[in-house]
Amino acid sequence: MRFRFKQPLPLSSLRPPQSSSSLHSIPKQSSFGIAFDIDGVILRGQRPIANSPKALKRLYDDSGALKFPFLFLTNGGGFPESKRASELSNLLNVKILPSQVVQGHSPFRTLLNRFENELIVATGKGVPAEVMSEYGFKRVLSLDEYASYFDHIDPVAHYKGWTSTKASNWPRNSPKSVSSRNLISDKVKAAFVVSDPVDWGRNIQVLCDILTSGGLPGEKHGCQPPLYFAADDLQYQAAFPSERLGMGAFRIALESIFNRIHDKSLEYTCFGKPNPFVLRNAEAILKEIQKSSCQCDAIEENAEQGSHSFKTLYMIGDNPLVDVKGAHQAGSPWFSILTRTGVFKQKENHAEYPAHLVVDTVEEAVEFILKREVAS
């Protein structure tokens, strides 16, 4: 059984910390905002696609100050928003703030009140435990680290070319270190798939141990702890020419196995696009960028629309089933633009989820937006 949020989550909990630098200098309030997907639109692996850096620079003035509000809205992740913003700044040669990076796992902040002091496990590429720790969770371990406390939990570990070591204590914001004896007697209260898992075999085995036992591997069956996925993409475009299996593929594998070995079906919650609340929260964040950036005397320009509202919000993506579908489900004022640089490569528009506009590159998308908006 799958559970999805049908209503927007609390907006305040989704906003990354605002920086006081550079955003305050937008000269006037823009009537539009832009949400860019990253993989397959801006980057392929670690390389910019076509003239994506040039396209983004058009959203800044000559001094490097932001002219038009935009953010990156990606189902990817695995690193804190601050680190991802720094990486994007270096790759694209423009100043990107943490508040302009919304990743698939960013909504996990909304669960802090529920699990702040509970034992939780986080898995995925990158530094999933560090991500959750930065969000404020105080008792979080990566799945590999957690598994290292249980002898023989991964029966093929000795065939693998990498090892997991026990950490000497909890993450830096933990109130105290916890002994392994306490650890292996505490129940895991929730599991988070923060980004694409690296070792599917170990992840499926240990998650099944946690989820079927009620939170303590090796115990008899118990009530399943909550399970959260940052996204549910079946495929995505990376550096390899053809699409790669995403978190949604891992979810299908885990769910299929869990349902075969357990009496009850797997219960989980998926975040990320195309869930409409992701787009609505992106709109709220763009409004915050706009609000903190515009000059006081410019607010009157959009008085007829209401304070800090947008006539149009553009979702630029490469995946019809994720980016276009999400924009359509979110509805007005979202306008979908589909690029042919990633998952989508067809000549004609997508049949099931047609975008408002199809272009070859993100540079063409930005050109269209600026001509449409600035001219009007």
Side-chain angles (χ1 to χ4, degrees), residues 203-218:
N203 274 261
I204 291 175
Q205 178 65 75
V206 177
L207 285 175
C208 281
D209 287 331
I210 293 171
L211 299 171
T212 60
S213 67
L216 187 59

Side-chain angles (χ1 to χ4, degrees), residues 5 25 52 86 97 113 163-164 191 209 266 359 371:
F5 290 106
S25 55
S52 59
S86 177
L97 300 178
N113 288 341
T163 59
S164 299
D209 287 331
L266 182 68
V359 296
K371 281 187 176 181

Side-chain angles (χ1 to χ4, degrees), residues 193-257:
V193 184
V194 174
S195 50
D196 297 313
V198 176
D199 183 345
W200 281 34
R202 174 177 292 172
N203 274 261
I204 291 175
Q205 178 65 75
V206 177
L207 285 175
C208 281
D209 287 331
I210 293 171
L211 299 171
T212 60
S213 67
L216 187 59
E219 295 292 311
K220 295 181 179 180
H221 286 191
C223 294
Q224 181 206 312
L227 172 64
Y228 301 96
F229 291 89
D232 201 33
D233 292 23
L234 182 62
Q235 294 180 305
Y236 67 99
Q237 184 66 60
F240 196 73
S242 58
E243 296 81 10
R244 302 293 85 193
L245 298 176
M247 198 181 304
F250 174 79
R251 191 266 306 161
I252 291 171
L254 173 62
E255 183 176 16
S256 177
I257 293 171

Side-chain angles (χ1 to χ4, degrees), residues 42-300:
I42 301 294
L43 300 175
R44 178 166 289 184
Q46 293 296 302
R47 291 188 175 185
I49 295 175
N51 288 321
S52 59
K54 181 180 178 181
L56 291 175
K57 284 182 181 179
R58 298 188 65 183
L59 305 178
Y60 296 78
D61 64 22
D62 293 338
S63 69
L66 195 61
K67 290 169 62 179
F68 308 107
F70 77 89
L71 53 73
F72 295 101
L73 185 61
T74 175
N75 279 354
F79 295 93
E81 285 76 8
S82 57
K83 183 173 182 178
R84 190 65 167 135
S86 177
E87 178 187 60
L88 289 169
S89 297
N90 292 331
L91 289 172
L92 301 171
N93 199 29
V94 292
K95 177 62 176 178
I96 305 297
L97 300 178
S99 57
Q100 291 175 276
V101 179
V102 182
Q103 303 183 95
H105 49 69
S106 297
F108 287 169
R109 293 187 183 93
T110 64
L111 298 167
L112 183 61
N113 288 341
R114 183 176 178 185
F115 298 111
E116 180 178 2
N117 296 303
E118 304 287 359
L119 174 61
I120 63 173
V121 169
T123 189
K125 66 183 180 183
V127 288
E130 181 181 335
V131 168
M132 300 300 287
S133 179
E134 287 214 1
Y135 290 165
F137 297 90
K138 293 183 172 61
R139 303 185 68 210
V140 53
L141 288 178
S142 71
L143 182 140
D144 285 340
E145 185 178 349
Y146 180 76
S148 71
Y149 288 94
F150 296 85
D151 293 336
H152 313 300
I153 195 170
D154 182 354
V156 295
H158 57 287
Y159 292 104
K160 298 174 180 178
W162 62 90
T163 59
S164 299
T165 58
K166 298 179 178 66
S168 59
N169 51 33
W170 293 94
R172 61 182 180 275
N173 65 347
S174 175
K176 60 180 179 180
S177 61
V178 179
S179 69
S180 60
R181 176 174 296 181
N182 288 337
L183 173 64
I184 63 176
S185 64
D186 285 350
K187 289 187 176 183
V188 173
K189 295 302 174 65
F192 294 82
V193 184
V194 174
S195 50
D196 297 313
V198 176
D199 183 345
W200 281 34
R202 174 177 292 172
N203 274 261
I204 291 175
Q205 178 65 75
V206 177
L207 285 175
C208 281
D209 287 331
I210 293 171
L211 299 171
T212 60
S213 67
L216 187 59
E219 295 292 311
K220 295 181 179 180
H221 286 191
C223 294
Q224 181 206 312
L227 172 64
Y228 301 96
F229 291 89
D232 201 33
D233 292 23
L234 182 62
Q235 294 180 305
Y236 67 99
Q237 184 66 60
F240 196 73
S242 58
E243 296 81 10
R244 302 293 85 193
L245 298 176
M247 198 181 304
F250 174 79
R251 191 266 306 161
I252 291 171
L254 173 62
E255 183 176 16
S256 177
I257 293 171
F258 180 94
N259 291 350
R260 292 290 296 271
I261 65 175
H262 198 264
D263 295 335
K264 295 182 179 180
S265 297
L266 182 68
E267 297 181 357
Y268 56 88
T269 298
C270 289
F271 292 80
K273 298 174 291 184
N275 289 356
F277 81 86
V278 173
L279 280 295
R280 290 195 286 265
N281 284 321
E283 179 178 359
I285 295 170
L286 283 167
K287 287 180 180 179
E288 286 297 312
I289 293 174
Q290 178 75 291
K291 181 179 178 180
S292 64
S293 306
C294 67
Q295 302 290 340
C296 294
D297 58 1
I299 295 178
E300 295 180 1

Side-chain angles (χ1 to χ4, degrees), residues 328-349:
H328 287 186
Q329 290 182 340
S332 179
W334 285 96
F335 184 102
S336 57
I337 301 180
L338 187 59
T339 69
R340 295 188 177 96
T341 50
V343 172
F344 180 80
K345 300 179 180 70
Q346 302 171 16
K347 182 178 180 180
E348 303 297 329
N349 208 337

